[in-house]
Amino acid sequence: MKYVPRLVLFLAVPALLISLPWWTLVAAPTQGAGSLFWLGSALFALAFCCLPAAMYLGHGPAQSDAASIVGDTLLGVLWVVFSWSVLGNLARLGLAVAGVDDPARSRIVAAGVLAASTVLTVWGVVEARRVPRVRTLEVSIPGLGPALDGLRLVVVTDTHFAALDRLRWSERVVEVVNAQRPDIACHAGDLADGSVAKRHAQVDPLGKVEAELGRFYITGNHEYFGDAPGWIDHMSSLGWQPLRNQHVTVRRGDDHLVIAGIDDPTGVGLTGHGPDLPTALAGADPDAPVVLLAHQPKQITDAVAAGVALQISGHTHGGQIWPFHYLVRLEQPVVAGLSRHGDTQLYTSRGTGFWGPQLRVFAPSEITVLVLRPR
């Protein structure tokens, strides 16, 4: 019985995502009769059966890559169609006010929703699978010494190497990162979904990233859904330094900067894991500015209290598929971009890869170059 509420939710989400598009695209325009009604209803019924089954087989104990690809893709497509069905039915009210009667009104709405959903799905797949655009911005850091003026900190995050083999994409991301001439390279978590044995080939190109002053990695929440200790060890073997509630002081000339990193909060359930900012900053020069790697933007509260100059986060994906960013904003203080919180600045990356559905709609991926400047 304890699993009943979870099962109800597991089936309720697909039912919601499917019922409104079914009514918008099938039931209303056909007025519930004819061969198109029955054919469309059968397709939506099949989707309702496939989605929970594929998600369970792909992300449950079986960890089937084929099922994961099917389930994730279907989830993304249904979210797009559902979102535009909502907008289509709002437009239906306008058509009703304008005096357009059914079935013409419902057929206009159905045609518009189908066209918009098709275009955005195709575009979303292209956006998700492309090598991310480079986003460069200057960030002023109080107390940054002149020898560190112009330091280039390149950020990748949320690569989420998973069931789809993106080895070539990974290699091209590394090429783009190296072309930015990073002084420091950072991976802000959510490296991969799955075990080191299954995903390391896609991750291994990161070992070729070149950064004179260091390459630093922190865990995201998804490492803790799989094998966090394994990924920490593997990134270390590739020459990246995991920052697990610790800091490193980087120097250029007579000036220095503290680079600190903390675990993701999801790690609390694993012995010896979980964020601990006081430990991370213990022994750091109090006169040196601190750049903190923390996977989730909501960790900014502790960063502000600790006097951190800049926190770098990912996790949100910028919402990934519009309008999901409105739901993300309910949990996180920021969805994307540079923001100020007291005396601390926060940069939230939209992420370099994607999770689950291979779609990005109105939330493009990025490789970020933060050029640090003295204030």
Side-chain angles (χ1 to χ4, degrees):
M1 290 299 295
K2 67 179 181 179
Y3 295 110
V4 170
R6 190 178 302 178
L7 178 61
V8 170
L9 180 63
F10 190 62
L11 296 176
V13 171
L16 177 63
L17 290 177
I18 286 172
S19 58
L20 182 61
W22 168 79
W23 188 83
T24 304
L25 297 178
V26 177
T30 62
Q31 297 189 310
S35 58
L36 288 178
F37 169 77
W38 292 110
L39 178 60
S41 297
L43 288 175
F44 275 99
L46 180 62
F48 177 75
C49 295
C50 284
L51 179 57
M55 293 298 286
Y56 178 75
L57 292 173
H59 298 285
Q63 293 289 299
S64 165
D65 282 353
S68 174
I69 293 170
V70 171
D72 292 346
T73 302
L74 185 56
L75 177 64
V77 172
L78 286 173
W79 174 254
V80 172
V81 180
F82 173 83
S83 300
W84 287 87
S85 293
V86 172
L87 295 179
N89 281 287
L90 292 176
R92 178 193 303 277
L93 298 176
L95 291 173
V97 171
V100 180
D101 295 326
D102 268 334
R105 181 169 69 238
S106 294
R107 290 171 181 172
I108 292 171
V109 169
V113 169
L114 183 61
S117 299
T118 300
V119 170
L120 288 174
T121 296
V122 173
W123 178 56
V125 170
V126 172
E127 277 291 307
R129 295 179 68 94
R130 63 167 293 155
V131 174
R133 300 169 181 85
V134 176
R135 186 181 187 193
T136 304
L137 71 159
E138 296 189 349
V139 182
S140 61
I141 303 294
L144 189 72
L148 294 169
D149 184 12
L151 183 141
R152 297 172 66 81
L153 197 156
V154 177
V155 180
V156 295
T157 183
D158 298 278
T159 43
H160 286 283
F161 293 110
L164 284 168
D165 186 356
R166 288 183 289 150
L167 174 59
R168 179 55 186 150
W169 179 88
S170 179
E171 294 169 341
R172 293 176 65 192
V173 165
V174 170
E175 292 170 3
V176 173
V177 168
N178 286 337
Q180 308 315 306
R181 297 172 288 107
D183 296 301
I184 295 173
C186 300
H187 194 299
D190 280 5
L191 173 67
D193 292 284
S195 67
V196 175
K198 291 181 72 173
R199 310 296 184 217
H200 77 87
Q202 298 178 63
V203 173
D204 287 350
L206 293 178
K208 297 180 180 179
V209 169
E210 300 171 356
E212 178 186 359
L213 297 180
R215 301 175 294 177
F216 305 105
Y217 160 72
I218 60 168
T219 55
N221 56 309
H222 277 250
E223 277 86 344
Y224 292 104
F225 300 153
D227 180 16
W231 284 117
I232 291 167
D233 290 344
H234 189 71
M235 286 296 278
S236 182
S237 74
L238 295 177
W240 288 71
Q241 181 168 354
L243 292 178
R244 297 204 49 248
N245 300 323
Q246 61 191 113
H247 73 271
V248 171
T249 301
V250 296
R251 304 177 186 275
R252 178 173 283 171
D254 294 330
D255 298 318
H256 51 285
L257 173 72
V258 172
I259 306 293
I262 54 178
D263 290 349
D264 186 79
T266 314
V268 169
L270 185 63
T271 302
H273 291 253
D276 187 343
L277 186 53
T279 296
L281 297 180
D285 185 344
D287 295 326
V290 176
V291 173
L292 174 67
L293 304 180
H295 181 65
Q296 299 194 38
K298 66 183 180 182
Q299 294 174 278
I300 190 64
T301 303
D302 292 336
V304 172
V308 167
L310 171 66
Q311 175 177 312
I312 298 170
S313 299
H315 185 65
T316 69
H317 298 205
Q320 187 165 319
I321 307 175
W322 185 91
F324 197 76
H325 66 286
Y326 290 114
L327 297 179
V328 174
R329 186 63 181 82
L330 296 176
E331 187 200 18
Q332 300 292 335
V334 177
V335 175
L338 187 65
S339 57
R340 179 171 290 278
H341 307 259
D343 293 329
T344 301
Q345 296 179 89
L346 166 65
Y347 185 79
T348 305
S349 170
R350 290 187 300 254
T352 309
F354 59 86
W355 178 83
Q358 52 180 312
L359 283 88
R360 274 188 173 269
V361 178
F362 304 141
S365 56
E366 64 180 81
I367 294 169
T368 315
V369 182
L370 302 178
V371 182
L372 305 189
R373 299 291 187 187
R375 179 168 296 177

